[in-house]
Amino acid sequence: MTIKNWFLPHKETHKKAHLISWEALLFYILFFILLQVGFSLVSYSKPGLLGVSSNIDQKVIIELTNKEREKQGLAPLKENEALDKAAGLKAQNMIAENYWAHFAPSGKTPWDFILGSGYKFTFAGENLAKNFYSSNEVVLAWMASPTHRDNLLNNKYQDIGVAVVDGILNGQKTTLIVQEFGTTEVFAGGPNVSVAGKDVPIPKTEYNNKPELLGSVQIPKTNPSLIDPYKVYKTVGVSLISLIGMLLLIDVLVLYKRGVFRLSSHHIAHMALLSVSAASLITGSPGAIL
């Protein structure tokens, strides 16, 4: 076996270059699995070393939300200080208890933070997001999700509160975005909260007896992460796909020049796999909504 055989089809057998063989593809898959395991170990042993550094502005989130509402002929929402506080307390609680959900492991609910901030609502709702790079990406992701879109465009809401909080979640630096909606106008059937596309009725006793939350959880200040795992995946993935694509093209040209080229199912399978992988890397994002 010569070095040329790693990059060019074999001269005698015309077998594919080793770097684009099925065995090599299995090795690439194993490499990415080991990379994921390695990142998980680093997150556990060195919290905050990995993570996404975002550029998200609380005021811009509110502005973009209102632009989407205005497109649908809905009245803009007014920023409410109590809902801002509720959103901030919810984000801080997720970091303090290390969870990513509408309901905390300790039993805290979305309305605990809204009512605890002093906001008495008849209808309320909550959207969550994390690890997006920009404010625009966050709102676009919510608008692309039917349940989040319905929440954002709910014509019963009058007020909005948003918080953007950085902290360590599951060992990685994370930017949490919490969006709280509400109205104090009386509607039949309230009070309830829209959570993950479902309206959850609030028991009267819980609604009336919720004490106001004072102060906030102190979240340690986080420095910019040294490594962004998603950018590493993307850089390595795009580089590898480019290499494989180039070797497939060389394979075609060399075999054509030798007069033995045939478009085989192997070529089609390789190109299909490359196309799917490339599309996934280009359109993918580390951001998540809930």
Side-chain angles (χ1 to χ4, degrees), residues 57-76:
D57 186 272
Q58 183 258 7
K59 298 295 184 185
V60 175
I61 293 287
I62 295 175
E63 179 185 339
L64 292 173
T65 296
N66 278 329
K67 283 184 178 180
E68 293 296 340
R69 290 178 63 86
E70 289 168 9
K71 289 177 186 178
Q72 303 301 319
L74 299 171

Side-chain angles (χ1 to χ4, degrees), residues 213-225:
L213 299 174
L214 300 176
S216 62
V217 178
Q218 294 300 314
I219 302 299
K221 186 175 181 181
T222 57
N223 297 317
S225 299

Side-chain angles (χ1 to χ4, degrees), residues 58 62 79-97 99 108-110 112-114 116-117 125-128 160-167 175-181 213-219:
Q58 183 258 7
I62 295 175
E79 184 176 3
N80 181 277
E81 184 179 351
L83 287 180
D84 280 342
K85 178 182 177 182
L89 290 172
K90 174 60 179 283
Q92 292 166 357
N93 182 252
M94 281 195 285
I95 292 170
E97 295 189 28
Y99 71 96
K108 292 185 180 70
T109 67
D112 282 341
F113 301 101
I114 299 174
S117 70
E126 179 178 87
N127 283 340
L128 304 178
I160 186 173
V162 172
V164 180
V165 176
D166 290 332
T175 299
L176 294 175
I177 305 97
V178 179
Q179 186 180 51
E180 303 286 11
F181 304 100
L213 299 174
L214 300 176
S216 62
V217 178
Q218 294 300 314
I219 302 299

Side-chain angles (χ1 to χ4, degrees), residues 99-111:
Y99 71 96
W100 165 243
H102 289 288
F103 295 88
S106 61
K108 292 185 180 70
T109 67
W111 53 92

Side-chain angles (χ1 to χ4, degrees), residues 10-257:
H10 292 229
K11 189 171 183 180
E12 293 79 15
T13 64
H14 307 300
K15 184 180 178 182
K16 287 186 181 302
H18 294 306
L19 288 177
I20 54 174
S21 65
W22 286 112
E23 293 84 356
L25 292 180
L26 291 175
F27 172 79
Y28 301 146
I29 293 172
L30 178 62
F31 170 77
F32 277 101
I33 292 174
L34 291 175
L35 191 61
Q36 175 63 56
V37 172
F39 281 144
S40 297
L41 292 174
V42 171
S43 296
Y44 178 78
S45 60
K46 298 287 185 181
L49 180 64
L50 305 179
V52 173
S53 294
S54 302
N55 182 26
I56 296 174
D57 186 272
Q58 183 258 7
K59 298 295 184 185
V60 175
I61 293 287
I62 295 175
E63 179 185 339
L64 292 173
T65 296
N66 278 329
K67 283 184 178 180
E68 293 296 340
R69 290 178 63 86
E70 289 168 9
K71 289 177 186 178
Q72 303 301 319
L74 299 171
L77 302 171
K78 297 177 182 177
E79 184 176 3
N80 181 277
E81 184 179 351
L83 287 180
D84 280 342
K85 178 182 177 182
L89 290 172
K90 174 60 179 283
Q92 292 166 357
N93 182 252
M94 281 195 285
I95 292 170
E97 295 189 28
N98 196 40
Y99 71 96
W100 165 243
H102 289 288
F103 295 88
S106 61
K108 292 185 180 70
T109 67
W111 53 92
D112 282 341
F113 301 101
I114 299 174
L115 292 172
S117 70
Y119 186 89
K120 294 292 186 178
F121 61 88
T122 52
F123 279 92
E126 179 178 87
N127 283 340
L128 304 178
K130 68 174 181 177
N131 282 343
F132 285 90
Y133 290 112
S134 70
S135 305
N136 189 55
E137 285 181 337
V138 176
V139 177
L140 286 176
W142 281 332
M143 289 298 292
S145 164
T147 55
H148 294 82
R149 175 189 169 90
D150 289 347
N151 214 14
L152 193 145
L153 299 179
N154 193 319
N155 62 4
K156 293 179 179 177
Y157 298 146
Q158 295 177 327
D159 303 317
I160 186 173
V162 172
V164 180
V165 176
D166 290 332
I168 306 300
L169 195 68
N170 295 323
Q172 294 194 14
K173 179 182 175 294
T174 302
T175 299
L176 294 175
I177 305 97
V178 179
Q179 186 180 51
E180 303 286 11
F181 304 100
T183 183
T184 55
E185 184 177 340
V186 177
F187 288 95
N192 67 39
V193 175
S194 180
V195 180
K198 296 181 179 179
D199 287 339
V200 182
I202 311 303
K204 286 287 186 179
T205 53
E206 189 170 347
Y207 180 85
N208 293 325
N209 299 326
K210 184 61 62 180
E212 184 170 350
L213 299 174
L214 300 176
S216 62
V217 178
Q218 294 300 314
I219 302 299
K221 186 175 181 181
T222 57
N223 297 317
S225 299
L226 297 178
I227 302 172
D228 183 333
Y230 177 74
K231 288 184 178 178
V232 172
Y233 285 129
K234 194 165 188 174
T235 301
V236 174
V238 169
S239 300
L240 190 56
I241 288 172
S242 300
L243 173 64
I244 295 173
M246 181 182 67
L247 292 176
L248 279 173
L249 179 60
I250 292 173
D251 183 81
V252 170
L253 293 175
V254 170
L255 292 182
Y256 178 78
K257 187 175 180 180

